[in-house]
Amino acid sequence: MIQASFKRYQWVSGLLILVGLIIFIWLVRIQTSEGAKEFRDGMKRRFEIYSDTVRSNRGSIYDRWGNPLATNREVYEVGVDLRYIADKDIPVLVQTLSQALGWDAAKVKKEISRKYDPKVDPYGYYVFLSGFVPSENVAVIKEKRKQLYQEWEAAPNRKKGSIPSLFAIVYQPKLIRTYPEGSLGSNILGLYLYAQEKPVGYLGVEEYYNDLLSGITVNQVKTTNPYNTTVTDVPPGADLILTIDRDVQAMIEKVLDNAVARTGATAGVIVVLDPRNGEILGMASSGRVDLNNYGNLSKDAIAPANFNRAISRTYEPGSVFKVLTMASGLDSGAVRPDSVYQDTGRNVVGGITIYNWDRIGHGPQTMQGCLQLSLNTCLSWVAQQIKPTRFFEYLNRFGIGRPSNIDLAGEVIYPLSTVDGNRIPDSNLGTNAFGQGVSVNVAQMVMAVSALANDGKMFAPHVLKSYVDNGRQITPQPKLVDRPISAETARTITELLARSLENESSKALVEGYRVAGKTGTAEIAGPGGYLSNATNASFVGWGPVDNPRFLVYVWLEKPTTSPWGSIVASPVFKEVTEKLVILLDIPPDAQRQKLASQ
């Protein structure tokens, strides 16, 4: 009995060993078969490990009141996966994609009818169609997909595991730069070139503050295995709050465009600055572009030299430069307001004869008269009294010949002509004194003249008011560049210039507000000398005189209706100021003074 039971155990054990052996042989066969190899290769491709770059969402840009000037908008990259396209479903795919992309049906059909051979290109199944499809267009795809899926689910004879070919459409969201105000302030903002391997800011604020706006970039290892995926949390880039006032910017852009058209100028610039701290409230330049359509812009339109003429172009400013010469003369003690210059209509400096703009001698003139009549001879004489070396020192302190260091990419400067490393040649002294033979950009001039409007203190012009990074708002302090003249000198020349405008009944005068300023008309250098038929017309002014709140600089290139700054540029200053005092809520002088005395 016991022996029979033992034999049964042997039979059962043998059978189990045989079955196990068969299973082992079958597993070896499966794992070494051609099908197993293809399966492993497929899984490797599906769940491969790869490196991916994760970037912070780019920070937004706002004006001083929180109005958005540059933000991000969600769009989609759309493509198709050829592995899931059935021939019978191509018509509905073509119809849906044509509607979503706005493409011709023939173009869509050509793209999605490509043949995919995994042996030639294992990853060739994906066909990229468009990278900037708006969310509302992708909604068309989503709705059609939902509809077809519901029809497929309700079909009684559907194949298990089969889904409509519409699911072959692949869409992935991404953020692109958008500018809510279109071309407003485009010369200040610059561009964000995101359609490239390494997105980067280009010109203006976008380039200058690219590192702040961009945040950080993280390289991480990823796997396509959905069960082994980690998401890296990357904080967004910093948001920038600019000193720009959107309403002021819009106003000066409109005034500039009208002025350029009215005077026949080839281009122009208007800058509004708060002299108390260097904040730029508005900066308008001809040639603005719609930043939302930069891909369709010409190379000339976004060339650095044309993009923002306030910083990218230098020019000989002419008589607006005389305010710096006179300020230097008064501050150095070389002349006093009541000093008298005997004007014969000519003055010889370094062997060169200087003439007045009208070629007339005006007899004895105080410094008031020299500014009011804009006498080239008198200002060249003032420079002689200062002496070349000291005159250059003053110009250097005013920032002439050096970058203004404005926080916008693309500033261009032209150095002062010097000899021995520190002295303006005597031959240049006379012409530099009235703004010829010296080249500046508008940002340099705005910074230099702001010292006259701010008790001698000169702040760097800037467009960044503060920025928000990781939830903290940081407000950099305005940068005091220098004190080129004393507060007394600044007030004295401001008064001289205000009286000059009043005595000549200037077209720059603003009813109810006392302002100071100076016109400028400069010849334009060309091959072989100065052009006889073209000028640069300018005006710089500030006010109210008793408590300056704004400085306005106007530059019109080659006006044709009149070559004179007093005719074409002065009225532009007046128009800007009349609107500016309303936007900045500055009461008329009499009302302010009455309130102050109470």
Side-chain angles (χ1 to χ4, degrees):
M1 191 71 177
I2 295 175
Q3 187 175 5
S5 297
F6 180 72
K7 287 184 179 181
R8 283 199 297 270
Y9 287 137
Q10 286 181 321
W11 277 103
V12 171
S13 297
L15 181 62
L16 290 175
I17 291 172
L18 180 62
V19 171
L21 183 61
I22 293 172
I23 293 174
F24 175 76
I25 294 172
W26 186 256
L27 287 174
V28 171
R29 181 177 179 278
I30 290 176
Q31 293 186 34
T32 57
S33 67
E34 186 64 29
K37 183 177 181 300
E38 292 181 3
F39 177 79
R40 284 195 299 272
D41 290 343
M43 294 300 289
K44 182 178 178 181
R45 287 195 299 270
R46 283 190 67 186
F47 300 143
E48 66 179 351
I49 294 175
Y50 63 97
S51 177
D52 188 30
T53 299
V54 181
R55 294 185 175 90
S56 299
N57 290 338
R58 194 167 181 83
S60 297
I61 304 174
Y62 303 90
D63 84 335
R64 66 188 302 118
W65 306 118
N67 298 303
L69 300 177
T71 59
N72 301 311
R73 178 168 60 95
E74 186 178 71
V75 294
Y76 286 79
E77 177 183 313
V78 175
V80 291
D81 190 328
L82 300 177
R83 295 174 298 179
Y84 302 117
I85 295 180
D87 290 342
K88 65 181 180 62
D89 291 330
I90 285 183
V92 71
L93 283 170
V94 169
Q95 179 187 12
T96 304
L97 286 170
S98 296
Q99 185 178 353
L101 303 179
W103 287 11
D104 178 78
K107 180 180 179 181
V108 175
K109 186 174 181 179
K110 179 181 178 181
E111 292 295 325
I112 70 173
S113 298
R114 299 182 186 184
K115 298 302 180 183
Y116 160 59
D117 186 348
K119 294 182 179 179
V120 176
D121 181 4
Y123 304 103
Y125 53 80
Y126 179 72
V127 176
F128 170 82
L129 296 177
S130 177
F132 306 102
V133 182
S135 301
E136 55 270 24
N137 291 37
V138 173
V140 173
I141 300 173
K142 293 179 179 179
E143 186 60 33
K144 190 66 176 178
R145 174 185 280 187
K146 180 180 177 181
Q147 174 192 334
L148 290 181
Y149 187 75
Q150 290 174 345
E151 293 175 358
W152 172 80
E153 277 193 316
N157 58 344
R158 72 174 187 271
K159 294 181 180 179
K160 188 176 181 180
S162 172
I163 56 174
S165 286
L166 201 65
F167 280 80
I169 300 177
V170 180
Y171 48 85
Q172 294 290 334
K174 65 179 182 179
L175 295 177
I176 63 168
R177 205 64 162 163
T178 184
Y179 301 89
E181 300 288 349
S183 64
L184 182 73
S186 62
N187 51 291
I188 301 168
L189 297 173
L191 303 168
Y192 179 54
L193 307 180
Y194 48 79
Q196 55 187 33
E197 182 178 349
K198 185 179 180 181
V200 68
Y202 175 68
L203 298 175
V205 171
E206 293 278 24
E207 179 177 337
Y208 193 92
Y209 289 108
N210 185 67
D211 289 344
L212 265 180
L213 290 164
S214 295
I216 63 173
T217 299
V218 176
N219 291 318
Q220 63 177 2
V221 176
K222 283 188 173 182
T223 174
T224 53
N225 187 339
Y227 300 104
N228 189 27
T229 299
T230 57
V231 178
T232 301
D233 186 17
V234 179
D239 292 333
L240 306 187
I241 302 169
L242 304 186
T243 61
I244 302 301
D245 184 313
R246 183 187 63 177
D247 294 336
V248 171
Q249 182 68 26
M251 180 269 289
I252 62 174
E253 287 184 4
K254 184 176 181 180
V255 171
L256 177 64
D257 292 346
N258 291 338
V260 168
R262 183 175 64 248
T263 63
T266 58
V269 168
I270 297 177
V271 175
V272 178
L273 173 134
D274 187 337
R276 299 172 299 177
N277 51 26
E279 290 186 356
I280 294 175
L281 304 179
M283 176 180 281
S285 173
S286 294
R288 298 180 304 280
V289 298
D290 184 351
L291 300 173
N292 294 310
N293 297 314
Y294 83 90
N296 299 321
L297 300 173
S298 67
K299 291 183 178 179
D300 285 344
I302 58 175
N306 301 329
F307 198 76
N308 186 351
R309 300 173 110 83
I311 62 172
S312 64
R313 294 289 184 103
T314 59
Y315 81 111
E316 297 188 22
S319 294
V320 290
F321 201 80
K322 291 174 180 175
V323 300
L324 303 183
T325 301
M326 184 61 75
S328 302
L330 293 170
D331 194 73
S332 66
V335 296
R336 301 185 309 274
D338 59 355
S339 295
V340 177
Y341 170 69
Q342 187 65 40
D343 180 33
T344 63
R346 61 176 60 192
N347 183 42
V348 179
V349 184
I352 295 178
T353 302
I354 305 296
Y355 297 93
N356 287 325
W357 61 273
D358 57 4
R359 300 277 171 160
I360 297 174
H362 295 268
Q365 297 291 332
T366 65
M367 298 303 99
Q368 171 80 63
C370 287
L371 287 173
Q372 185 174 321
L373 297 173
S374 197
L375 302 179
N376 297 341
T377 54
C378 179
L379 272 297
S380 64
W381 173 79
V382 169
Q384 285 177 305
Q385 306 314 300
I386 301 171
K387 306 302 181 184
T389 298
R390 198 169 187 192
F391 179 62
F392 172 79
E393 289 173 352
Y394 270 102
L395 294 189
N396 188 58
R397 293 186 65 180
F398 275 118
I400 304 304
R402 297 184 289 116
S404 70
N405 289 319
I406 187 171
D407 52 347
L408 294 172
E411 182 178 14
V412 174
I413 65 163
Y414 193 87
L416 282 170
S417 299
T418 62
V419 294
D420 301 330
N422 63 359
R423 188 173 71 84
I424 293 179
D426 290 346
S427 59
N428 284 3
L429 180 66
T431 54
N432 286 180
F434 60 91
Q436 292 280 189
V438 57
S439 288
V440 297
N441 65 48
V442 171
Q444 287 175 305
M445 282 299 295
V446 165
M447 181 177 73
V449 178
S450 71
L452 280 59
N454 189 38
D455 287 342
K457 297 187 293 292
M458 187 174 74
F459 286 93
H462 58 280
V463 298
L464 180 67
K465 190 171 185 66
S466 61
Y467 62 95
V468 180
D469 191 19
N470 288 324
R472 295 183 304 120
Q473 183 165 340
I474 301 168
T475 303
Q477 291 299 310
K479 181 182 179 181
L480 180 63
V481 177
D482 207 334
R483 296 173 183 260
I485 57 175
S486 68
E488 181 182 358
T489 299
R491 295 183 193 122
T492 298
I493 193 166
T494 293
E495 182 62 26
L496 290 177
L497 291 167
R499 289 179 185 173
S500 297
L501 294 180
E502 292 160 356
N503 291 343
E504 64 178 293
S505 300
S506 169
K507 295 178 181 294
L509 293 174
V510 180
E511 185 176 355
Y513 299 85
R514 196 158 185 253
V515 295
K518 184 73 184 73
T519 59
T521 303
E523 295 176 294
I524 299 175
Y530 285 96
L531 304 178
S532 60
N533 60 347
T535 63
N536 279 312
S538 305
F539 188 93
V540 63
W542 58 95
V545 163
D546 62 332
N547 183 24
R549 293 270 307 278
F550 58 83
L551 184 149
V552 177
Y553 198 100
V554 178
W555 170 33
L556 297 175
E557 299 182 50
K558 300 179 181 179
T560 56
T561 57
S562 170
W564 303 107
S566 58
I567 301 298
V568 296
S570 295
V572 179
F573 170 82
K574 176 180 181 178
E575 184 179 358
V576 169
T577 302
E578 287 176 335
K579 293 176 169 60
L580 193 61
V581 293
I582 295 173
L583 292 174
L584 299 184
D585 194 23
I586 304 175
D589 292 352
Q591 185 178 343
R592 283 188 304 104
Q593 292 162 5
K594 182 178 179 180
L595 291 172
S597 65
Q598 292 178 350

